[in-house]
Amino acid sequence: MTLPRYILGLESSCDDTAASVVDMDGPTVLSNVVWGQNDLHRAFGGVVPEIAARAHAEKMDGAVELALEKAGMTLADVDGIAVTAGPGLIGGVLSGVMCAKGLAATTGLPFVGVNHLAGHALTPALTDGLAFPYLMLLVSGGHCQFLIVKGPEEFTRLGGTIDDAPGEAFDKTARILGLPQPGGPSVEKAAQDGDATRFTLPRPLLDRDDCNMSFSGLKTAILRTRDSLMTDNTLRRQDRDDLCAGFQAAVVDVLTAKTRRALSIYMELEPQTPAIAVAGGVAANEAIRSALQDVATQAGAEFSAPPLALCTDNAAMIAYAGGLRLRSGARDGMDLSARPRWPLDQSKPSMLGSGKKGAKA
Ligand code: KG4
Ligand code: ZN
């Protein structure tokens, strides 16, 4: 039996409508279409689930057509379909799952549902050929966790955020300081002109000897400090930039301290493959990337960070993760359901907190 080679991936779990074709013999990303929805949500200061779901339903088939066209293919050339089946905003996930089912029903192609977090966690295997096992820090707008990635469907969670995800904290900080969404890039840009030492901001849970993190207190501290700096209802540009720099430095400190801890646990468990990878939208942040690179270098571990376009939400990671499942013989049927919550490590209890994408882990 020949293994499925060309996989069409669909992703719609938050605010990006994405489709991609991946050649599993390589593996190579043949196309990667990502249509963001920032314009639709801007006025509301955050992702509105109902608006997101409707936009996914309207746009997904167009994204699929374009992904096929860019790969120089038609549906007849595809060997299998992979779709994000959770975790995420339920309406959006449903749009993608229904579209995938429609495509599978009309073509007879095999299809599988993919865990969005598995997509992020497996990306370094797609982009850098990183061999299992490796430690993964997944940092995005909805998630923050340390995972030992042992295989395509085998994950052990070492810890994670107990409240907000870092991307969520970046987005909220941007909102508090009047910067545009998504907050990560705009806070990072403002931080370049700021003094990170001017304000003393909290670094929660650093005294705890575990891999858990907390970011919600940081946003409250930003709000309070902003209020103390406002005159005539306005915030000076320099004050804003200093706050951004201080905020980013606090996130960097928490992530690096906890990564050091997670890496030492991982290296005791898996001394043969000292490797850490980072993924998720927040991994696009230069200061965070280079701080994590330093932690890896100091520990003598390989460091892998996917290219920016594959760090943020995309369908190539879903095609690849689904392709691995399809090649191992997995198939889903028309009864595949969309799951708003879907922890990767089912052996661990859910962590507290829920953000724009639901439970954190
Ligand atoms: O992985 P992603 O595209 O979607 C989720 O699964 O959440 O991550 C989006 C998040 C947003 O919160 C965004 O503000 C953050 O990633 N982000 C960044 C940067 N670029 C995107 N955070 C910090 N610095 C950045 N440069
Ligand atoms: Zn994501």
Side-chain angles (χ1 to χ4, degrees), residues 29-112:
V29 178
L30 300 180
S31 63
N32 186 23
V33 174
V34 181
W35 287 340
Q37 302 177 347
N38 286 337
D39 291 348
L40 297 179
H41 303 288
R42 185 165 291 122
F44 305 96
V47 178
V48 183
E50 186 54 37
I51 293 176
R54 229 174 275 183
H56 288 308
E58 279 167 17
K59 298 264 165 103
M60 187 53 93
D61 48 354
V64 167
E65 265 174 35
L66 187 58
L68 287 168
E69 188 188 315
K70 287 191 172 212
M73 289 185 172
T74 68
L75 266 180
D77 302 308
V78 169
D79 300 313
I81 299 170
V83 60
T84 301
L89 299 173
I90 190 67
V93 179
L94 261 175
S95 302
V97 167
M98 295 313 288
C99 183
K101 283 183 182 175
L103 290 170
T106 48
T107 57
L109 285 168
F111 83 107
V112 283

Side-chain angles (χ1 to χ4, degrees), residues 11 13 116-117 120 138 140 143 280-281 311-313 317 357:
E11 153 65 34
S13 64
H116 176 87
L117 304 176
H120 280 304
L138 176 55
S140 70
H143 300 280
C311 267
T312 47
D313 283 353
M317 67 181 191
K357 291 186 80 173

Side-chain angles (χ1 to χ4, degrees), residues 11 13-16 87 116-117 120 138-143 165-172 174 181-189 247-248 251 279-288 308 310-314 317 356-357:
E11 153 65 34
S13 64
C14 191
D15 57 349
D16 291 302
H116 176 87
L117 304 176
H120 280 304
L138 176 55
V139 268
S140 70
H143 300 280
E168 205 173 350
F170 268 98
D171 294 340
K172 286 176 180 169
Q181 297 292 320
S186 45
V187 169
E188 181 176 20
K189 189 158 177 288
F247 164 82
Q248 187 172 273
V251 175
V282 179
N285 185 289
E286 271 307 319
I288 292 172
L308 298 190
L310 296 178
C311 267
T312 47
D313 283 353
N314 66 87
M317 67 181 191
K356 67 176 182 178
K357 291 186 80 173

Side-chain angles (χ1 to χ4, degrees), residues 280-336:
V282 179
N285 185 289
E286 271 307 319
I288 292 172
R289 259 170 120 91
S290 74
L292 295 175
Q293 163 91 68
D294 289 348
V295 172
T297 308
Q298 282 156 18
E302 186 182 344
F303 180 72
S304 161
L308 298 190
L310 296 178
C311 267
T312 47
D313 283 353
N314 66 87
M317 67 181 191
I318 302 303
Y320 178 68
L324 293 177
R325 290 198 63 208
L326 286 163
R327 281 162 90 102
S328 71
R331 300 286 183 271
D332 279 315
M334 289 298 154
D335 56 350
L336 173 71

Side-chain angles (χ1 to χ4, degrees), residues 75 86 108-109 122 132 161 207 211 214 239 242 256 259 269-270 289 305 320 337:
L75 266 180
L109 285 168
L122 297 171
F132 304 119
T161 184
D207 53 332
C211 298
S214 160
D239 292 341
D242 291 348
T256 49
T259 300
L269 293 169
E270 304 284 357
R289 259 170 120 91
Y320 178 68
S337 49

